[in-house]
Amino acid sequence: MQADLERFWARLLTEPDFRARFIADPAGFAAQNGLSPEECDAVVRTQVQDLHTAARSYAAKNAGKRPRSSDRWWRRWLPFKAL
Amino acid sequence: MQHDRVGLGWRPELAAGIFDSLDRIDILEVIADNYVDADRAQRQGLAMIARDVAIHLHSIDLGLAGSDEVATVRLERIARLVDDIKPEAWSDHLAFTRSGDIEIGHLAAPPRTPASVEATVRNVRKAARIVGSVPFMENIATLIDPPGSTLSEAAWIAGIMSASGCGLLLDLHNLYANATNFGFDPLAFLDEIPLDRVDGIHIAGGKWISSPDGEKAYLLDDHLHPVDEAVFGLLSEVASRTAQALTVILERDGAYPPMPELLAELDRAREAMRAGRRRRAAQEAAHIQTADAG
């Protein structure tokens, strides 16, 4: 089911422990997490090298994220412009 | 036909340079996620800018290409922002950003299947209903091919556009990066998607990175580097293949160069589009001559 596969995929990309357990036993771990035989076949074909690279990229992006707030710049600029 | 336009992603760090250069910037694209929690004064400031220059709102976090139904509350926040700012258009990505309680924190490519086409269409329709206009949907860059995909990226995008009625925000650096990393021809990709439904185009730069073991190289879409000449080449190609006016946005998210360098990139984009338009005009003229001769 698409939702199960997406959830599994999202965890592989973001959770180091989950990823390590998958890499240790791809087919067994996928089956243990409720993926169908077809989905297990699909995830087993994942390139580990690509997975590590993508996961590192997500970790870097999340670490570098600014807090989701409005730009402080506006607070300085607005009163001046509004006059 | 309306004119092609070229603009820039609005970033606070570039504000002074942008205001000094509005005669050379046709449009600004504002990241919606930075303003959904903004107070009234901040929204009024944005609305004020929107009176002077055309604005597109670009959302990042909705995850419309996921199986999960997009949360109504997220769409209502975008709808309020759209009501306040009145942008010409709004957009999000062909990506999922969460699954259940798992937050990915950034854009991820879902498995490309008929089921994900269906889920995306459902979410795009819900977004259009709540926000009041259909979003343009952007192709994303990915460093890894999602498992279980039964459709090519181009076929998947075409399927979503056809079934949802949405237009495409074609990110040419994302296309270039995916084509480079997965070894497909970007021109063949352009053959497969409905180019007449492209309205907006993103251009950006990236850099080469290595896998952690150092054995494989990837082109990363990081928006921190100058636009590659190959991307301008693709822009020219799209301009030569389309009849409608195009809106091009240069995305830059950091390592900001002096404003003249960014303006030079906008000029380069205009030049690339003009070259494509000239090619199209020449092809049409040749076609008419051939038809007349026949």
Side-chain angles (χ1 to χ4, degrees), chain B residues 12-44:
Chain B
E13 296 88 340
L14 299 174
I18 287 174
F19 283 122
D20 282 346
S21 317
L22 280 180
D23 56 334
R24 295 175 66 184
I25 299 171
D26 304 322
I27 184 161
L28 293 172
E29 184 187 75
V30 174
I31 301 296
D33 304 54
N34 291 338
Y35 289 91
V36 286
D37 296 326
D39 60 30
R40 198 172 155 206
Q42 290 166 323
R43 284 173 182 242
Q44 281 175 341

Side-chain angles (χ1 to χ4, degrees), chain A residues 18-61:
Chain A
F18 191 86
R19 191 162 55 247
R21 284 190 284 160
F22 168 73
I23 291 167
D25 176 18
F29 190 65
Q32 193 186 317
N33 276 272
L35 296 191
S36 69
E38 295 78 19
E39 290 164 342
C40 288
D41 284 348
V43 295
V44 161
R45 287 196 294 273
T46 299
Q47 298 291 317
V48 172
Q49 205 173 33
D50 294 350
L51 182 57
H52 281 309
T53 307
R56 186 182 60 180
S57 173
Y58 283 109
K61 280 172 182 164

Side-chain angles (χ1 to χ4, degrees), chain A residues 2 50 56 65 68 71 74, chain B residues 35 77 105 107 113 210 218:
Chain A
Q2 180 84 17
D50 294 350
R56 186 182 60 180
K65 244 183 193 174
R68 202 173 84 172
D71 307 311
W74 281 103
Chain B
Y35 289 91
R77 287 159 63 173
L107 309 169
T113 63
S210 297
Y218 304 79

Side-chain angles (χ1 to χ4, degrees), chain B residues 96-119:
Chain B
F96 77 123
T97 53
R98 62 189 57 80
S99 178
D101 58 343
I102 309 295
E103 288 284 340
I104 301 171
H106 207 73
L107 309 169
R112 295 181 306 266
T113 63
S116 67
V117 168
E118 199 178 302

